[in-house]
Amino acid sequence: MYAKLVVGSTGIPAVQAMRDIVRLCTSNTPTTALLGAFSTSSSVIIDSNPAGWTYVGSNNANDRPTVAAIGVSGFTASGSQCNLVLSAPCLESSALKYVALSTSFIGTQSATTNLFTMTGATSATSLGVLTNEGPRYFSPAANGANDTLTVALRVAANDVVHVIATPRGITIVNEGRGMQAVWEMSMSDVNRFYNTAPFVQYCHATSSNFTAETIIIPTSTSGVLTRTMMSAVFGVTDVNTGTFYGTYSPGNIVSNLPTLNIGSLFQTANNLRNNSINSIGAPRYQVTPVFLQIGALGHPIQSVTGTTNVYWTRPNAGFTGDSMLISGDVYTFFNCGSGYGIALKTS
Amino acid sequence: MNNEQIFTYFGHNTVYKYSGSLSELKEIQESTNNSFNYIIVSDVIYFVAIDPVLDSKAQLIMGE
């Protein structure tokens, strides 16, 4: 499923945007009729193949047992946030992948409180109680003070959000700004032994910023965060010590820069893929498969690409929506800002 | 991992040590609608939660 969602001239409360996205990802027939916040006239469902995700629940009573209907008011409880939780099966593991969309602002939702995040978790209940949720940011302060926040997805005026969802993962791209994703990866023998779901959460909401937050669990701050990258793998055991980590960052983060044993997951500099040439000197783009290794815990390399159909590209390799031929297969290019782009198969 | 390393792992948030089983902990957290993250070090459960935890088996060991 691929939906190009357009905000329009007025920002959207984050919870309303989250509801629209969840309706699309859990519908057998995704259409713009499911949109209550994004513009129905400007938004387009480009690939209407069902995404294959199932709604689990929410910590907000209005969003149980189903997502609130279009027109139901936004989440108004102060001092808390709203989450919407989804699940999907894995190719091999019997364990499910869980994804939560969460508002990034505590308090009454309005057209200016338009930041939200996407995280993974090892399990969830219909009441939105999450076990081992991946890292995300939330702010107790007025959202207006954090408009330049780099670590969350944004649905402010004129923003465009691309949602690409298959049973293997969900990718949300803020056009020209950044992306967040939860991607299934290849199963390792460690996953098989412990029967855990192999998936990674990757947050890079502002791709022009290559520093990483070291938070591994949801945390809050009244200040503006200046770093943008966060990532986690879920339910991993150090096979040499027996230590179990509910969430674990797949990159050694030293001085806010992710390094070591990360494969290609963390994008650490602007445009790592300059154009190349073929054997007769004709120009061609480079793309990179996504993979990582939690080598410090005794886990082998695990490839995202090949399970979830995604490649990293150079920034501005085309316009979002352009087709890319990669090893004989057609992918769609998405502009994630000045840092890089991604190519995805949308179903 | 020692306590300081556990504290750092959890981002210097309030950390509890739990003396019961994982299933007991999950039951308590779900009954109080309190999401949590945990690690197990040498068969001991350490966890952090969105909201404060009041349970006789949860001992606050680091943080406020």
Side-chain angles (χ1 to χ4, degrees), chain A residues 81 83 122-123 125 127-134 136 138 216-219 242-248, chain B residues 1 8-11 13 22 26 29-43 48-50:
Chain A
Q81 315 129 73
N83 65 22
T122 59
S123 65
T125 73
L127 298 181
V129 176
L130 301 169
T131 304
N132 298 326
E133 182 183 11
R136 64 177 165 88
F138 63 89
I216 198 69
I217 58 162
T219 190
T243 300
F244 171 87
Y245 299 88
T247 56
Y248 188 85
Chain B
M1 293 172 86
T8 299
Y9 167 82
F10 280 124
N13 287 282
L22 186 57
K26 284 191 175 183
Q29 296 304 93
E30 288 175 14
S31 68
T32 55
N33 293 338
N34 195 1
S35 293
F36 71 109
N37 284 32
Y38 69 93
I39 61 173
I40 302 175
V41 181
S42 301
D43 296 325
V48 293
I50 299 286

Side-chain angles (χ1 to χ4, degrees), chain A:
Chain A
M1 194 278 294
Y2 167 27
K4 176 184 175 182
L5 303 175
V6 179
V7 174
S9 59
T10 304
I12 297 174
V15 68
Q16 304 285 26
M18 286 158 45
R19 286 171 174 162
D20 281 1
I21 291 170
V22 169
R23 289 192 201 97
L24 290 174
C25 290
T26 56
S27 171
N28 284 331
T29 51
T31 70
T32 54
L34 297 174
L35 304 178
F38 289 102
S39 167
T40 52
S41 58
S42 301
S43 301
V44 184
I45 310 301
I46 296 171
D47 182 339
S48 60
N49 279 299
W53 287 75
T54 300
Y55 187 62
V56 174
S58 169
N59 66 340
N60 182 26
N62 276 352
D63 292 288
R64 294 194 297 264
T66 60
V67 174
I70 294 171
V72 172
S73 65
F75 182 65
T76 57
S78 62
S80 186
Q81 315 129 73
C82 174
N83 65 22
L84 302 175
V85 186
L86 312 169
S87 71
C90 295
L91 273 177
E92 183 180 334
S93 171
S94 60
L96 298 176
K97 305 185 294 290
Y98 288 90
V99 159
L101 299 179
S102 299
T103 53
S104 282
F105 166 65
I106 296 177
T108 303
Q109 291 285 297
S110 73
T112 61
T113 57
N114 41 40
L115 298 174
F116 67 102
T117 59
M118 181 165 68
T119 52
T122 59
S123 65
T125 73
S126 60
L127 298 181
V129 176
L130 301 169
T131 304
N132 298 326
E133 182 183 11
R136 64 177 165 88
Y137 166 85
F138 63 89
S139 170
N143 186 68
N146 292 321
D147 273 346
T148 56
L149 191 63
T150 58
V151 205
L153 297 164
R154 188 185 69 196
V155 282
N158 302 314
D159 278 341
V160 176
V161 172
H162 304 271
V163 178
I164 305 97
T166 74
R168 306 283 72 81
I170 300 176
T171 310
I172 302 178
V173 177
N174 251 152
E175 173 73 29
R177 180 165 176 259
M179 48 82 70
Q180 287 194 3
V182 172
W183 291 324
E184 186 176 337
M185 55 189 179
S186 59
M187 192 90 166
S188 73
D189 281 345
V190 181
N191 290 125
R192 291 186 184 96
F193 181 79
Y194 291 104
N195 193 29
T196 50
F199 65 105
V200 62
Q201 169 194 323
Y202 185 62
C203 166
H204 201 162
T206 305
S207 76
S208 56
N209 179 315
F210 300 101
T211 55
E213 286 298 337
T214 55
I215 52 175
I216 198 69
I217 58 162
T219 190
S220 67
T221 176
S222 58
V224 176
L225 289 182
T226 57
R227 305 182 202 128
T228 184
M229 286 189 282
M230 291 183 289
S231 184
V233 289
F234 299 87
V236 295
T237 299
D238 184 329
V239 299
N240 290 291
T241 66
T243 300
F244 171 87
Y245 299 88
T247 56
Y248 188 85
S249 174
N252 254 351
I253 296 178
V254 178
S255 299
N256 310 319
L257 298 174
T259 58
L260 302 182
N261 300 328
I262 56 173
S264 75
L265 184 64
F266 280 98
Q267 298 302 292
T268 55
N270 191 355
N271 191 15
L272 296 168
R273 294 164 206 89
N274 273 319
N275 293 346
S276 183
I277 55 172
N278 66 10
S279 59
I280 60 170
R284 60 204 272 183
Y285 289 132
Q286 289 195 74
V287 297
T288 308
V290 183
F291 59 98
L292 58 104
Q293 182 179 12
I294 324 163
L297 303 188
H299 290 229
I301 287 178
Q302 287 176 271
S303 183
V304 175
T305 301
T307 298
T308 301
N309 291 311
V310 59
Y311 284 88
W312 298 123
T313 79
R314 63 162 295 157
N316 301 310
F319 295 104
T320 292
D322 283 352
S323 294
M324 267 193 156
L325 191 64
I326 301 175
S327 300
D329 208 351
V330 178
Y331 284 68
T332 302
F333 169 75
F334 294 89
N335 179 344
C336 299
S338 62
Y340 56 88
I342 56 174
L344 285 154
K345 289 180 74 70
T346 62
S347 59

